[in-house]
Amino acid sequence: FAEGVGYFGHLDLLFNNAGIGAPPLSIEELSLETFQQVITVNLIGPFLCTREAVKIFKSQSPQGGELQICPVHHSISKQLFEVASSIMALSPHTYPDPTPLLTPVPSTL
């Protein structure tokens, strides 16, 4: 993020579109390591990117930016991230623009 902002001078958009799925195994065959990798990529990665983007959105002039959430996999992590996105979108923020901070993108796109 710092390198991009240093080069372009600002951040206008974060488009979260990363995701992986687990192999088609039964629950008793799925390793904890594989499950944790899916959760890390599908939930923790977008969270970390969103957190950094919001810091930049608040610090730049003019303030603001847009977050696009586009989960790729139909999985429990997708559902959890949609819930988290909805909660973050309802959180009060200090931007002069009253539009929502987060705009979930339908997975049918």
Side-chain angles (χ1 to χ4, degrees), residues 1-87:
F1 281 92
E3 187 175 328
V5 171
Y7 183 80
F8 293 106
H10 55 87
L11 178 66
D12 294 322
L13 172 69
L14 173 68
F15 189 82
N16 277 311
N17 192 31
I20 62 171
L25 300 171
S26 63
I27 188 71
E28 65 270 14
E29 296 174 312
L30 185 64
S31 71
L32 178 59
E33 180 183 9
T34 299
F35 177 76
Q36 287 174 326
Q37 182 182 22
V38 170
I39 295 300
T40 297
V41 171
N42 294 358
L43 287 176
I44 296 173
F47 164 77
L48 293 173
C49 289
T50 300
R51 184 177 67 178
E52 189 61 28
V54 168
K55 288 178 189 177
I56 294 167
F57 291 158
K58 287 182 175 182
S59 69
Q60 63 190 6
S61 182
Q63 280 190 338
E66 185 175 350
L67 296 172
Q68 293 285 328
I69 311 299
C70 185
V72 211
H73 291 277
H74 296 279
S75 62
I76 189 66
S77 57
K78 173 186 174 277
Q79 293 169 359
L80 289 172
F81 196 74
E82 286 175 349
V83 169
S85 296
S86 297
I87 291 168

